[in-house]
Amino acid sequence: NAGVTQTPKFQVLKTGQSMTLQCAQDMNHEYMSWYRQDPGMGLRLIHYSVGAGITDQGEVPNGYNVSRSTTEDFPLRLLSAAPSQTSVYFCASSYWTRPREQFFGPGTRLTVL
Amino acid sequence: SQQGEEDPQALSIQEGENATMNCSYKTSINNLQWYRQNSGRGLVHLILIRSNEREKHSGRLRVTLDTSKKSSSLLITASRAADTASYFCATRTSTGNQFYFGTGTSLTVIP
């Protein structure tokens, strides 16, 4: 199993550009989520999904969109990048019907100029 | 913010010593988890403790949970240089579908 994969590993954008961060998992997990990690702030939840076709907002959803058309994929879209979105982004997945750990991807380091 | 907080923010110890870090959270929880993050990497799950459990062990790890004080502690015994990492607690609330992470403790183990 590949686990949770994320692409790209690094990305530089200019203010106003849009892009999609990709996340995929091959463990048949119902729950998938996106976090951003900023120095001194820990991880903050952006959006999450408890199954295909179901998404919801986390703590910091503004400026981001998600969709979940399949169990495996959970892309995160930045609509119009801003310098405040410079961060490291992590995707995670887990089973949902029983309390289990989350599995994290390796992260995407995004810089918005 | 629903985030929890870890204490201390940073901890430096000699190899072989024990390391203790604490986590406080704000709401009723279903379970609490501890994760490790090595520099530049994703988080790796260490241990999960349910809200009806008070203590749990896994190898050199010991976790306690006090739901009346909304706090947890992680003890790493006989630390090794390879334990150098950041450690985060995460809670799943009893009413919601969200996980909340603390701000992390940066542990340095000096060989």
Side-chain angles (χ1 to χ4, degrees):
Chain A
N1 287 353
V4 179
T5 58
Q6 290 183 238
T7 56
K9 285 189 168 55
F10 301 93
Q11 183 70 51
V12 178
L13 293 178
K14 294 181 179 177
T15 297
Q17 288 185 316
S18 63
M19 78 158 295
T20 299
L21 307 184
Q22 301 292 344
C23 174
Q25 53 92 9
D26 60 0
M27 296 172 281
N28 204 31
H29 287 164
E30 303 97 342
Y31 186 88
M32 295 186 75
S33 54
W34 277 101
Y35 297 89
R36 59 177 290 173
Q37 184 175 31
D38 302 293
M41 298 289 291
L43 277 79
R44 292 182 291 170
L45 182 64
I46 304 171
H47 285 286
Y48 65 95
S49 169
V50 297
I54 306 170
T55 64
D56 207 344
Q57 296 180 353
E59 281 185 277
V60 289
N62 292 342
Y64 308 95
N65 272 359
V66 292
S67 60
R68 184 97 180 266
S69 56
T70 67
T71 300
E72 295 78 18
D73 300 299
F74 191 45
L76 178 72
R77 296 183 195 83
L78 278 70
L79 308 173
S80 177
S84 60
Q85 293 179 304
T86 293
S87 188
V88 181
Y89 292 84
F90 289 99
C91 178
S93 73
S94 69
Y95 291 112
W96 194 242
T97 54
R98 43 190 164 150
R100 298 290 291 269
E101 68 270 29
Q102 293 194 83
F103 291 82
F104 281 80
T108 294
R109 187 174 294 274
L110 175 68
T111 301
V112 182
L113 303 175
Chain B
S1 169
Q2 301 285 342
Q3 275 189 317
E5 288 187 5
E6 276 93 343
D7 171 57
Q9 288 188 344
L11 180 60
S12 183
I13 60 173
Q14 296 288 332
E15 201 165 30
E17 293 181 338
N18 295 342
T20 299
M21 52 205 85
N22 305 295
C23 166
S24 60
Y25 57 91
K26 297 182 180 180
T27 61
S28 297
I29 62 170
N30 177 285
N31 65 69
L32 185 143
Q33 304 175 27
W34 285 91
Y35 289 81
R36 183 186 74 220
Q37 183 181 33
N38 291 91
S39 182
R41 309 292 290 272
L43 280 73
V44 175
H45 180 262
L46 294 176
I47 193 166
L48 179 152
I49 186 165
R50 291 177 172 79
S51 59
N52 61 355
E53 297 176 311
R54 292 295 168 258
E55 187 171 315
K56 201 160 183 180
H57 296 256
S58 177
R60 294 185 295 113
L61 306 179
R62 172 178 171 257
V63 170
T64 62
L65 179 65
D66 186 337
T67 53
S68 66
K69 295 182 179 177
K70 291 187 169 56
S71 68
S72 173
S73 68
L74 171 68
L75 168 68
I76 304 173
T77 60
S79 62
R80 306 166 182 169
D83 294 328
T84 294
S86 291
Y87 292 81
F88 295 88
C89 66
T91 54
R92 176 184 168 183
T93 62
S94 55
T95 57
N97 291 330
Q98 303 191 24
F99 286 89
Y100 295 102
F101 281 80
T103 49
T105 291
S106 176
L107 173 66
T108 301
V109 181
I110 302 166

